[in-house]
């Protein structure tokens, strides 16, 4: 019997594979006569997967066991949302490129019986160098001899090339030997082959894959397998790990006066109040996506150790903050940003852990991940925006004008970006509305109506 979590994973895997298939189909055959049933089929599968994910998320109830996987789910979730947002921009460009590269006249030549061969330039009538930022190309008018069935004809054509054309130079031509009235296409072998269903040129493939790789690197690298406990071991070996035994005195929301980045606005954040017999009060701030309400029941009266390392950036309050992991009973953990109660009070240097000391880890620690309606709402909002983007972009595959292609592609990108922002705003509004009803205590707080 499948659980909701496994159903969601299957939906997301199908979504990813479907969108990857769209990209592959575009690169294998950019130009094809509409409707593009290959793309439409892939988009349909992606839409079904996104819709299934939305229904699964909206049917999920809050109040789970609180035990998640080995990796810190917050980093994974945020990384995947950013990756899908920026990868969608690349995919939209690829689909729009395929639509705009279509040459109906070239396909008419194919239907009439095409031929593709080389021919010499008889004469260069005009040639102009067109500069575009740091690069440029030549736009020329040339005469070429085309061997039609009724006899060779000298035809005037437009030619775009990187080098200035010369009389006697060979170029590739696409024409229908039996139908001179359909015209002629000229250029290099790759560009003509692409017009009639060949693969994309090398640089288009390279740039598309490079952009996707850049999206992966800047949004997912080091996050999709985020293991804070393994990070503690690395910090321990480097001699930069600090630790204090603590007990949880409250869970709620608080305004972080010392954010990890000076450019981050100071919004209310989920916060765990800690106390240490050796040091006093501490606050562990968590990511916005975490709903503090379910954590109240999970952390009430819990004890453990808070581990932290100093920030690598130069911050005006660097000695009073640190990247932290709260390890409870050696089996459960949460990760965040620890601060002393007062910015003028430094975190204790004497709390540094000796490199020959072992962490009190029992088995494989698992991240606390109680089911949250807030998280489910933010994720379903993003998936709903992605679903709308899929519908808009798939419309291009049915065959629309160039202007409509640009409009639909732009609307598709905006839909996904706005959906990502709306998800963040939902989370933020939840934290702001919860602030009056949440004290830093272990009593169950009441949400304001």
């Amino acid at each position: 019997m499948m659980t909701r979590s496994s159903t969601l994973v299957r939906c997301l895997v199908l979504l990813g594979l479907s969108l990857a298939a769209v990209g592959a189909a575009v690169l294998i055959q950019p130009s094809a006569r509409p409707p593009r049933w290959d793309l439409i089929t892939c988009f349909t599968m992606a839409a079904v997967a996104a819709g299934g994910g939305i229904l699964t998320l909206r049917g999920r109830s809050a109040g789970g066991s609180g035990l998640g996987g080995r990796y810190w789910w917050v980093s994974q979730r945020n990384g995947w949302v950013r990756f899908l947002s920026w990868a969608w921009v690349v995919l939209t460009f690829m689909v729009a490129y395929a639509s705009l590269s279509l040459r109906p006249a070239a396909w008419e030549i194919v239907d009439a019986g095409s031929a593709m061969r080389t021919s010499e330039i008889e004469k260069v009538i005009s040639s102009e160098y067109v500069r575009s930022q740091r690069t440029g190309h030549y736009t020329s008018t040339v005469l070429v001899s085309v061997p039609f069935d009724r006899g060779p004809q000298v035809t005037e054509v437009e030619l775009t090339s990187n080098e200035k054309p010369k009389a006697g130079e060979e170029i590739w031509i696409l024409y229908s030997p039996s139908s001179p009235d359909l015209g002629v296409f000229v250029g290099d072998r790759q560009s003509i082959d692409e017009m009639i269903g060949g693969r994309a040129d090398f640089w288009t493939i390279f740039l598309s894959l490079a952009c996707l790789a850049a999206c992966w690197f800047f949004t997912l690298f080091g996050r999709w397998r985020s293991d804070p406990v393994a990070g503690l071991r690395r910090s321990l070996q480097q001699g930069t790990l600090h630790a204090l035994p603590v007990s949880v005195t409250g869970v709620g929301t608080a305004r972080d006066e010392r954010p990890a980045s000076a450019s981050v606005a100071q919004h209310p954040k989920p916060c765990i109040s800690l106390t240490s017999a050796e040091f006093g009060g501490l606050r562990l701030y968590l990511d916005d996506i975490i709903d503090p309400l379910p954590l109240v029941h999970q952390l009430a009266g819990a004890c453990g150790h808070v581990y932290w390392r100093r920030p690598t950036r130069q911050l005006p309050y660097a000695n009073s903050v640190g990247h932290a992991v709260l390890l409870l009973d050696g089996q459960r953990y949460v990760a965040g940003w620890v601060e002393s109660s007062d910015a003028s009070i430094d975190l204790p240097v004497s709390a540094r852990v000796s490199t020959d000391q072992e962490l009190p880890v029992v088995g494989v620690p698992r991240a606390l991940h109680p089911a949250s309606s807030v998280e489910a709402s933010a994720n379903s909002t993003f998936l709903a925006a992605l679903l709308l983007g899929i519908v808009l972009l798939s419309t291009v595959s049915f065959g629309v004008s160039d202007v409509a292609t640009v409009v639909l592609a732009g609307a598709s990108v905006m839909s996904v970006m706005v959906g990502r922002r709306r998800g963040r705003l939902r989370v933020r509004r939840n934290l702001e509305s919860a602030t009056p009803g949440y004290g830093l205590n272990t009593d169950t707080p009441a949400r304001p109506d």
Side-chain angles (χ1 to χ4, degrees):
M1 181 177 179
M2 288 193 302
T3 63
R4 281 199 174 98
S5 296
S6 62
T7 301
L8 179 61
V9 170
R10 284 173 171 80
C11 289
L12 295 180
V13 169
L14 178 60
L15 174 63
L17 292 176
S18 301
L19 296 181
V22 170
V26 168
L27 296 180
I28 292 172
Q29 189 181 29
S31 177
R33 282 171 285 200
R36 290 286 304 263
W37 293 112
D38 53 346
L39 299 186
I40 293 170
T41 301
C42 295
F43 278 128
T44 301
M45 296 299 294
V48 170
I54 294 170
L55 293 176
T56 303
L57 286 168
R58 291 182 176 176
R60 177 176 291 180
S61 59
S65 65
L67 286 178
R70 171 183 176 183
Y71 302 110
W72 185 231
W73 58 274
V74 173
S75 299
Q76 292 179 317
R77 181 265 174 196
N78 292 344
W80 279 112
V81 168
R82 285 192 293 267
F83 174 75
L84 281 173
S85 299
W86 292 110
W88 185 254
V89 176
V90 180
L91 187 64
T92 300
F93 173 81
M94 292 168 64
V95 174
Y97 155 76
S99 177
L100 296 175
S101 65
L102 177 66
R103 297 289 184 269
W107 285 100
E108 290 181 6
I109 291 176
V110 172
D111 292 337
S114 64
M116 187 166 59
R117 62 185 62 180
T118 58
S119 180
E120 290 187 355
I121 297 176
E122 299 287 333
K123 181 180 179 181
V124 179
I125 298 177
S126 65
S127 185
E128 180 183 0
Y129 185 73
V130 180
R131 182 173 295 278
S132 175
Q133 295 181 352
R134 296 183 180 180
T135 61
H137 62 272
Y138 286 93
T139 299
S140 309
T141 302
V142 300
L143 297 178
V144 295
S145 178
V146 184
F148 290 106
D149 291 343
R150 302 174 188 174
Q153 293 184 12
V154 176
T155 305
E156 181 179 307
V157 295
E158 298 293 328
L159 174 65
T160 300
S161 59
N162 294 326
E163 303 293 336
K164 188 174 183 179
K166 299 177 182 179
E169 182 179 341
E170 286 193 343
I171 59 173
W172 284 89
I173 59 174
L174 172 70
Y175 67 103
S176 175
S178 61
S179 305
D181 56 308
L182 293 180
V184 178
F185 284 88
V186 299
D188 59 80
R189 175 64 184 266
Q190 168 61 41
S191 63
I192 293 179
D193 189 51
E194 184 179 325
M195 287 181 190
I196 55 175
R199 66 167 177 80
D201 66 274
F202 170 79
W203 286 110
T204 300
I205 296 174
F206 174 78
L207 290 175
S208 299
L209 297 180
C211 288
L212 289 173
C215 291
W216 176 86
F217 181 82
F218 288 111
T219 60
L220 277 175
F221 183 73
R223 295 181 178 90
W224 74 284
R225 288 177 64 86
S226 177
D227 186 354
V229 178
L232 293 182
R233 294 191 176 96
R234 289 192 294 269
S235 298
L236 178 62
Q237 294 171 357
Q238 297 167 1
T240 59
L241 185 65
H242 299 72
L244 281 174
V246 293
S247 59
V248 177
T249 58
V251 180
T253 59
R255 199 173 295 275
D256 186 0
E257 302 297 338
R258 288 164 283 168
S261 172
S263 63
V264 176
Q266 296 176 358
H267 300 291
K269 293 181 178 294
C271 181
I272 300 174
S273 178
L274 307 171
T275 185
S276 167
E278 302 176 20
F279 179 74
L282 293 168
R283 284 187 173 182
L284 179 65
Y285 289 92
L286 308 176
D287 190 271
D288 292 354
I289 196 65
I290 298 176
D291 186 0
L293 178 58
L295 284 180
V296 172
H297 306 283
Q298 301 292 332
L299 297 178
C303 297
H305 288 76
V306 61
Y307 295 86
W308 77 90
R309 61 174 176 82
R310 306 285 188 187
T312 55
R313 290 188 299 253
Q314 292 296 325
L315 300 173
Y317 39 78
N319 291 330
S320 64
V321 298
H323 301 281
V325 176
L326 175 60
L327 192 59
L328 303 169
D329 305 325
Q331 294 179 340
R332 299 175 300 165
Y333 72 86
V334 292
W337 179 257
V338 71
E339 299 183 3
S340 59
S341 56
D342 189 333
S344 63
I345 301 176
D346 297 342
L347 294 173
V349 179
S350 59
R352 180 172 296 177
V353 182
S354 174
T355 55
D356 58 1
Q357 188 173 335
E358 293 292 334
L359 296 177
V361 176
V362 179
V364 178
R366 299 176 67 83
L368 272 172
H369 187 182
S372 165
S373 58
V374 176
E375 179 195 351
S377 175
N379 292 338
S380 64
T381 298
F382 176 73
L383 281 180
L386 183 60
L387 177 59
L388 176 59
I390 290 171
V391 172
L392 291 172
L393 193 58
S394 64
T395 306
V396 174
S397 304
F398 285 95
V400 294
S401 66
D402 290 352
V403 173
T405 296
V406 174
V407 171
L408 288 170
S412 177
V413 170
M414 287 300 299
S415 170
V416 174
M417 293 300 178
V418 170
R420 177 185 167 192
R421 179 175 175 80
R422 285 188 61 203
R424 288 201 305 263
L425 290 176
R426 281 185 177 235
V427 172
R428 187 171 299 167
R429 282 197 296 266
N430 170 72
L431 294 174
E432 290 174 348
S433 64
T435 302
Y438 279 70
L440 286 176
N441 54 69
T442 53
D443 299 328
T444 301
R447 286 192 187 280
D449 296 330

